[in-house]
């Protein structure tokens, strides 16, 4: 698609048609690594999209479509972009200032540290929010178009020794969360479940927290770390913030006892933006009233013999009651909801 003017023009034409037919506000390019060979091609795509959006708005007298891009936070990948070339044509950059550390590392490290730590050496000195934004600016990206990324999730590790601090030896991903069900990753509302039994530590150097219990370790963001990042964002004079993602926050307000969307609401407040009235919608997943069911049982899904329209999920000894979609029942053979 990106290699020739003709193939780019075909994509641009179809993109505009699709965006207008569905009443979208614009297009976000999620191409994290164009690499050196395609660097100029990607710049040409951005420039041609921008001009096409301008021309289309003039011809149709409609509001011009927005154009943005998700761009990486790691220095080695930032070099694959022509920052001034695309900066003149994008409305904003969503800088991915998270996933700096994770279960792919041999030791524990925070998902989105604001600064480096004394344990960082070599390239790891640049695996943090401050270094990422600083490098984009040094490459010529316009500050007012850079949006700092705020993650509503944490990266988990499985500890491999009795050491449970920052930089402790780790052996892969922590257990999958009960809802996102992805090893090495917990949404913020799953982190809240873990915090009730975990020890929480604030990393002063990096201005972010982590929590640990038994063999599990998670580096995550909370209201305090969001405030610190907003302060640095203001000092950089950036255009604003983007969140990954809304549904990883406690959208129901039932897990963290902080109301609905506690992190996003705190982020808006820290930026001086008004918040809509808080709401507490009826939960689609509720804690099982039979609290003793999961005690002593391994994590997993279990049949509720009293009501096959529901099933139990056990996670670290806590019982959750899920309900199948109308007309379906839980089958223990596949651990899934299916037709009777």
């Amino acid at each position: 698609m990106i290699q020739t003017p003709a193939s780019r023009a075909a994509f641009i034409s179809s993109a505009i048609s699709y965006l207008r037919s569905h009443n979208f506000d614009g297009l976000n390019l999620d191409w994290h690594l164009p690499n050196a060979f395609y660097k100029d091609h990607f710049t040409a795509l951005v420039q041609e999209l921008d001009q096409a959006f301008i021309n289309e708005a003039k011809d149709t007298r409609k509001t011009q479509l927005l154009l943005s891009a998700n761009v990486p936070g790691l220095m080695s990948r930032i070099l694959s972009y022509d920052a001034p070339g695309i900066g003149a044509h994008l409305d904003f950059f969503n800088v991915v200032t998270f996933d700096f550390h994770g279960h792919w590392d041999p030791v524990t490290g925070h998902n989105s540290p604001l600064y480096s730590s004394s344990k960082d050496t070599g390239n790891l000195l640049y695996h943090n929010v401050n270094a990422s934004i600083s490098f984009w600016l040094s490459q010529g990206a316009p500050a007012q178009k850079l949006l700092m990324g705020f993650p509503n999730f944490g990266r988990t590790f499985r500890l491999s020794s009795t050491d449970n601090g920052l930089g402790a030896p780790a052996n892969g991903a922590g257990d999958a969360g009960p809802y996102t069900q992805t090893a090495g990753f917990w949404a913020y509302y799953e982190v809240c479940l873990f915090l009730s039994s975990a020890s929480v530590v604030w990393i002063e150097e990096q201005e972010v927290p982590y929590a640990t219990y038994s063999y599990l370790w998670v580096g995550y963001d909370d209201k305090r770390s969001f405030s610190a990042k907003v302060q640095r964002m203001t000092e950089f004079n950036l255009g604003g913030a983007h969140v990954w993602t809304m549904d990883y926050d406690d959208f129901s307000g039932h897990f963290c006892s902080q109301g609905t969307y506690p992190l996003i609401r705190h982020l808006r407040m820290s930026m001086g933006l008004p918040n809509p009235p808080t709401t507490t919608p009826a939960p689609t997943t509720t804690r099982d009233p039979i609290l003793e069911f999961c005690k002593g049982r391994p994590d997993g899904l279990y049949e509720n013999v009293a009501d096959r329209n529901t099933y139990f999920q056990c996670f670290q000894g806590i019982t959750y009651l899920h309900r199948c979609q109308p007309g379906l029942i839980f089958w223990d053979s596949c651990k899934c909801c299916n037709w009777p």
Side-chain angles (χ1 to χ4, degrees), residues 35-57:
N35 73 46
F37 181 79
Y38 288 113
K39 184 176 183 177
D40 292 339
H41 295 78
F42 183 76
T43 302
L45 174 66
V46 171
Q47 294 171 344
E48 291 162 11
L49 273 166
D50 182 36
Q51 189 59 55
F53 284 3
I54 292 171
N55 295 339
E56 191 267 348

Side-chain angles (χ1 to χ4, degrees), residues 7-8 30 94 175 181 192 199 222 233 277 285 303:
S7 58
R8 293 194 298 269
D30 190 17
N94 295 317
D175 300 344
Q181 298 192 15
C192 286
S199 297
D222 61 6
M233 183 178 72
T285 303
E303 180 181 12

Side-chain angles (χ1 to χ4, degrees), residues 125-187:
L125 289 167
Y126 307 104
H127 285 214
N128 58 80
V129 177
N130 184 68
S132 175
I133 297 297
S134 296
F135 194 66
W136 270 108
L137 294 173
S138 74
Q139 295 300 296
Q144 286 296 318
K145 291 187 177 183
L146 291 181
L147 305 188
M148 184 183 289
F150 286 73
N152 288 335
F153 67 92
R155 289 288 179 184
T156 67
F157 297 80
R158 178 180 289 265
L159 298 170
S160 59
S161 74
T162 55
D163 185 0
N164 62 4
L166 182 68
N171 183 24
D175 300 344
Y179 302 106
T180 55
Q181 298 192 15
T182 304
F185 170 96
W186 288 346

Side-chain angles (χ1 to χ4, degrees), residues 115-121 124-125 166 203-206:
Y115 301 105
S116 63
S117 81
S118 56
K119 296 181 180 293
D120 291 327
T121 59
L124 294 181
L125 289 167
L166 182 68
I203 310 171
E204 291 289 345
E205 294 176 297
Q206 300 186 302

Side-chain angles (χ1 to χ4, degrees), residues 181-195:
Q181 298 192 15
T182 304
F185 170 96
W186 288 346
Y188 179 64
Y189 59 87
E190 292 173 320
V191 172
C192 286
L193 292 176
F194 182 68
L195 295 183

